[in-house]
Amino acid sequence: MKKTTCAACDCELGAETITVKLGGKAVEVCCQECAEALNEAEAATKAASAGKE
């Protein structure tokens, strides 16, 4: 059986996962905190990229 880990914290994923869409790609995280952290990181990256243009 393949073990998968959280895209945010590298913890092993259990039966209940949350799918987050980042840059058009779906990734799985272990909890709501990790989902929010990835969404905030993506928003910050987009804001920084927009500021460079």
Side-chain angles (χ1 to χ4, degrees):
M1 185 171 155
K2 180 182 172 189
K3 292 185 180 181
T4 55
T5 58
C6 174
C9 70
D10 267 349
C11 292
E12 190 173 322
L13 293 174
E16 294 184 26
T17 62
I18 299 172
T19 302
V20 178
K21 213 167 201 180
L22 298 174
K25 184 176 181 180
V27 296
E28 292 183 326
V29 295
C30 62
C31 64
Q32 188 62 36
E33 283 182 29
C34 287
E36 290 172 8
L38 286 181
N39 284 328
E40 289 172 9
E42 182 183 35
T45 301
K46 284 182 180 180
S49 294
K52 290 182 181 179
E53 292 177 8

